[in-house]
Amino acid sequence: MIESKYFQMAVAAAKRGTDTWTNPQVGAVIVKDQQVLSVGYHHQYGQHHAEIDALAQLDDISQAKGATMYVTLEPCSHYGKTPPCAKRLAEVGIARVIIGQLDPNPIVSGKGVAMLKSHGIKVDILDDSQGLNRAYNYYYQHQRPLITLKYAMSLDGKINGAQRKRTLLTETAAQQDAQQLRRQQQAILVGEHTLTIDDPRLTVRTSLPMAFPPIRAAVVHHVDDVDVNSHLFDQSAPTWFFSETMSARKLPENVHVFVKANWTPAAVVQSLANHGIQSLLVEGGSRLQADFIAADLVDELVVYVAPTILGGDGLPAAVGQALSGPTHFETPTISMLGPDIRIQTKRV
């Protein structure tokens, strides 16, 4: 029970790292004679890893000799933006390391443990991720981003009214929840119709600044058909266009265009995977939603249902390709956000 308490402290510390970008969230706790000496975590991409941060919190580095470290993820064994954590733990005399899970990244996986053991450090692996780094784990297990499909709809299943303008369905609580969902992503994707009608910003509107905001992405026929005054051309976040043709215009430095004759969902996802993107939020519109469902590329679904009926010729969710059969999801988690219903489920 005592060891579980120390590990949970490491998990809580890991969750404090909200700007780790493509690096995992990791927490570490150093314990000696049943006394917590220090707690560390990976604060931000490019900065100290959790193990090194925990060592830095010690009053004196000599305290590490003979101590036990609880760390949520296998210590790294390679030189990257920082030196190997496993090597440093051996240098300071850590006697035992209790690890939540092995790192699925093949650069590390098992090699950190091997380095620790080669220096006489006792290692225990709990094989328990505690729900940390779901997208990071998924990316290395499946070689593609974890994909979440999100939309808001009326009680009669419509995501937009009949007019060619955006229909705002949900109230403040649901809108704020959607912003938190965006914050958890590394890329947000929309289709050309949504881009034209809504002119979305695709930014995370929150009081907490982000060092690495999600990439704003859009699938279009021709990037030069996109209004140059669209919000996606501003400097608030990186923007990627998946276009059939290259731009003849001079685009802002934060805008990148990827060219392919036919950008299917699979092609978009592969391009994102090639660039190391581990999580993708598909926001719309209806055709893009349907295309991703038909391509079997929806891992999670988040739907906000407003107590409204649009009726008539309003646009239904996920209209497009027919499915070969039903797409099944797990029993959903349902919660209330003000007057709106939030439904979240995972693919079976």
Side-chain angles (χ1 to χ4, degrees):
M1 290 296 293
I2 292 175
E3 291 203 341
S4 175
K5 177 184 72 173
Y6 298 142
F7 182 64
Q8 291 304 321
M9 289 177 65
V11 171
K15 292 178 179 178
R16 295 171 62 188
T18 56
D19 275 322
T20 59
W21 188 227
T22 55
N23 282 357
Q25 291 180 306
V26 184
V29 175
I30 299 176
V31 178
K32 193 173 186 179
D33 299 326
Q34 296 189 8
Q35 296 295 316
V36 175
L37 301 182
S38 68
V39 178
Y41 66 99
H42 182 39
H43 291 240
Q44 185 172 303
Y45 180 82
Q47 295 184 1
H48 287 320
H49 288 182
E51 301 91 326
I52 307 305
D53 187 53
L55 291 174
Q57 308 308 316
L58 293 172
D59 295 332
D60 190 306
I61 195 64
S62 65
Q63 293 177 295
K65 188 173 180 62
T68 295
M69 173 174 282
Y70 295 79
V71 61
T72 57
L73 188 69
E74 178 183 11
C76 65
S77 56
H78 64 289
Y79 285 88
K81 290 185 177 295
T82 59
C85 292
K87 182 173 182 292
R88 182 57 178 159
L89 296 184
E91 290 172 348
V92 300
I94 290 287
R96 183 185 179 201
V97 179
I98 299 175
I99 299 169
Q101 70 161 100
L102 292 177
D103 193 328
N105 186 339
I107 295 176
V108 180
S109 190
K111 301 180 182 67
V113 168
M115 181 176 285
L116 292 171
K117 289 182 175 180
S118 72
H119 287 86
I121 298 175
K122 179 176 172 55
V123 178
D124 294 297
I125 303 170
L126 302 179
D127 196 24
D128 183 3
S129 70
Q130 289 282 301
L132 292 170
N133 305 308
R134 290 186 56 250
Y136 178 84
N137 289 330
Y138 189 96
Y139 177 82
Y140 285 108
Q141 292 164 357
H142 300 275
Q143 290 75 55
R144 72 163 176 82
L146 177 71
I147 301 171
T148 302
L149 174 62
K150 183 272 285 185
Y151 56 87
M153 70 178 188
S154 62
L155 289 172
D156 55 338
K158 308 291 176 57
I159 64 173
N160 218 61
Q163 303 85 2
R164 286 181 59 85
K165 63 179 182 179
R166 182 186 179 194
T167 301
L168 187 60
L169 290 167
T170 56
E171 300 295 332
T172 301
Q175 293 168 23
Q176 290 175 343
D177 186 82
Q179 292 298 315
Q180 289 304 311
L181 182 62
R182 280 184 175 182
R183 189 181 179 91
Q184 299 166 18
Q185 313 300 318
Q186 292 172 9
I188 303 170
L189 182 70
V190 296
E192 190 163 16
H193 185 76
T194 297
L195 181 61
T196 302
I197 300 301
D198 292 358
D199 186 21
R201 297 179 184 275
L202 301 186
T203 52
V204 179
R205 294 183 286 282
T206 174
S207 58
L208 299 174
M210 295 189 71
F212 304 94
I215 293 164
R216 306 174 298 182
V219 181
V220 299
H221 289 292
H222 306 289
V223 67
D224 280 353
D225 289 342
V226 180
D227 187 344
V228 72
N229 294 312
S230 296
H231 287 127
L232 291 197
F233 285 110
D234 66 28
Q235 300 290 316
S236 55
T239 297
W240 290 4
F241 286 106
F242 297 96
S243 172
E244 296 171 11
T245 56
M246 182 53 74
S247 177
R249 303 183 298 202
K250 180 175 175 55
L251 300 176
E253 290 185 0
N254 67 311
V255 176
H256 298 275
V257 180
F258 301 90
V259 177
K260 191 179 183 68
N262 181 25
W263 281 109
T264 63
V268 171
V269 169
Q270 185 59 60
S271 180
L272 292 170
N274 291 344
H275 288 83
I277 301 303
Q278 299 165 5
S279 56
L280 171 67
L281 181 65
V282 178
E283 288 209 352
S286 181
R287 176 60 182 271
L288 191 68
Q289 296 164 1
D291 287 348
F292 268 79
I293 294 170
D296 196 23
L297 285 172
V298 176
D299 304 305
E300 296 194 356
L301 187 65
V302 176
V303 179
Y304 302 95
V305 182
T308 302
I309 291 179
L310 294 179
D313 294 326
L315 180 65
V319 172
Q321 295 191 47
L323 303 180
S324 57
T327 300
H328 296 287
F329 290 82
E330 295 178 355
T331 301
T333 299
I334 300 174
S335 56
M336 295 300 301
L337 295 172
D340 303 311
I341 302 169
R342 185 186 194 273
I343 302 171
Q344 181 170 4
T345 181
K346 301 176 184 177
R347 182 69 190 275
V348 174

